[in-house]
Amino acid sequence: MAALLAAAAAFAASAQEPAGRRITPVTPSTNTVKAPPKGIDDKVVERYLSGDTLSALAEARADSLKRVYPRYPLLTDVTFGINFLDPVLALFGQKYGGVDLSATLNMWNRLQPVVEIGAGMAKDTPDDLNYTYRGKLSPYARLGVNYNLRFKSEPRYMVVAGARLGASAFTYNVTGVTVSDGYWNESEKFDLKGLKSHALWAEVLLGLRVQLWRNLSMGWQVKWHKMLSYKRNGYSAPWYVPGYGNRERSLTAGFSLYYTLPLSKGKWPKTDKPALAPAAAQPQQQ
């Protein structure tokens, strides 16, 4: 009986309290997926929109780096060239010159080992001096490397910076040398023939190459070079050095015609990738 009275009292007390407010919890919507970056592969987009964002973003980032820094195969192409600027300048009065051939191996479309060989000669009788200088046709060689500053682009167009080490062994004559004696008012002529010399020099360059038609292209180079060593012959020093030019000048140039043979072209990266369809790039909401 006492238990029933206690239960009735508790029920009456609870009936007198104001009714409490019932709050239904609301969960905010979190199913909105942002649009993936443009230009990534469709498979990555599908993974991105399905919720696998971490791995999709990592793959998208790697794919983006490939587009920004395309990696060409080790052996991209090999190019053969002929520099014929000196023969052109000889038509305008230059007293020396030569022709050289080059072979360039393009690696990763960046580093380019270069070999250049050629031959040059000179003949000049300075107006203000009393001799004739004749440099016999002699060989020279240059070894060096280029760096393609446009390695992100296709190899058809290049801007390169390079360095070379050149060497030449040659023979020259100095004839008709006139020596005057002011006291006796007499003069004497003599010749210096078969003078042998050799030279070693270094040079840096900046060059441009553009495609003309298919595998043919042309290029220009501006060079700064410095003589490292050369052989004198008594009181005579070589005026012209094959492959270097006038020994007293530090600037020279080149104008070449090139023929390129592509290597492993099937492995070259695709520089132009199609953009995603507009529908795939739109955010989806549920």
Side-chain angles (χ1 to χ4, degrees):
M1 186 66 180
L4 291 176
L5 293 176
F11 177 79
S14 62
Q16 294 177 359
E17 293 181 359
R21 179 181 298 175
R22 183 177 181 182
I23 300 176
T24 303
V26 178
T27 303
S29 177
T30 59
N31 59 352
T32 300
V33 180
K34 296 182 179 180
K38 295 183 179 180
I40 60 178
D41 292 336
D42 292 341
K43 293 182 179 180
V44 179
V45 174
E46 294 177 0
R47 291 169 56 189
Y48 193 101
L49 298 179
S50 66
D52 188 8
T53 57
L54 293 179
S55 61
L57 284 176
E59 187 171 343
R61 181 177 181 275
D63 182 69
S64 177
L65 290 176
K66 289 180 181 178
R67 295 197 310 274
V68 175
Y69 299 101
R71 188 172 183 83
Y72 284 82
L74 170 62
L75 303 179
T76 307
D77 57 56
V78 59
T79 299
F80 303 96
I82 176 171
N83 178 13
F84 54 89
L85 179 62
D86 280 350
V88 174
L89 295 179
L91 300 176
F92 296 92
Q94 182 172 280
K95 304 299 183 181
Y96 60 86
V99 176
D100 59 66
L101 306 175
S102 65
T104 304
L105 178 62
N106 190 7
M107 304 171 62
W108 301 292
N109 199 35
R110 289 198 187 190
L111 294 178
Q112 303 172 351
V114 182
V115 178
E116 300 172 343
I117 58 174
M121 59 184 299
K123 182 180 180 181
D124 188 23
T125 303
D127 296 334
D128 55 342
L129 297 176
N130 57 352
Y131 64 86
T132 296
Y133 184 97
R134 181 188 294 271
K136 295 184 178 180
L137 186 65
S138 302
Y140 60 87
R142 291 187 292 259
L143 299 177
V145 64
N146 293 337
Y147 183 82
N148 181 17
L149 301 177
R150 288 178 51 86
F151 64 88
K152 300 178 187 178
S153 303
E154 294 186 8
R156 296 179 298 171
Y157 308 100
M158 294 184 181
V159 177
V160 300
R164 303 281 190 276
L165 184 65
S168 177
F170 53 96
T171 303
Y172 65 96
N173 299 332
V174 182
T175 59
V177 181
T178 302
V179 178
S180 300
D181 189 334
Y183 182 81
W184 297 103
N185 195 24
E186 295 179 352
S187 62
E188 180 182 359
K189 290 187 177 182
F190 63 93
D191 299 333
L192 300 174
K193 295 184 177 181
L195 301 176
K196 297 183 180 298
S197 182
H198 52 78
L200 181 69
W201 68 92
E203 59 186 41
V204 293
L205 62 89
L206 184 66
L208 170 68
R209 198 178 88 191
V210 296
Q211 184 186 38
L212 294 177
W213 180 72
R214 292 189 178 180
N215 293 6
L216 290 178
S217 58
M218 68 167 50
W220 299 263
Q221 293 180 346
V222 178
K223 305 178 183 180
W224 179 87
H225 53 197
K226 180 176 179 57
M227 189 66 65
L228 301 179
S229 65
Y230 64 92
K231 178 187 175 184
R232 300 179 62 94
N233 289 282
Y235 295 100
S236 172
W239 164 68
Y240 167 76
V241 176
Y244 185 93
N246 188 332
R247 182 177 53 84
E248 298 179 351
R249 295 182 180 177
S250 58
L251 288 178
T252 185
F255 179 74
S256 301
L257 187 66
Y258 299 103
Y259 184 82
T260 300
L261 295 176
L263 303 174
S264 307
K265 191 170 183 179
K267 299 180 181 179
W268 288 11
K270 296 181 180 179
T271 55
D272 297 322
K273 301 192 72 174
L276 294 177
Q282 297 294 328
Q284 294 183 0
Q285 297 183 354
Q286 296 180 356

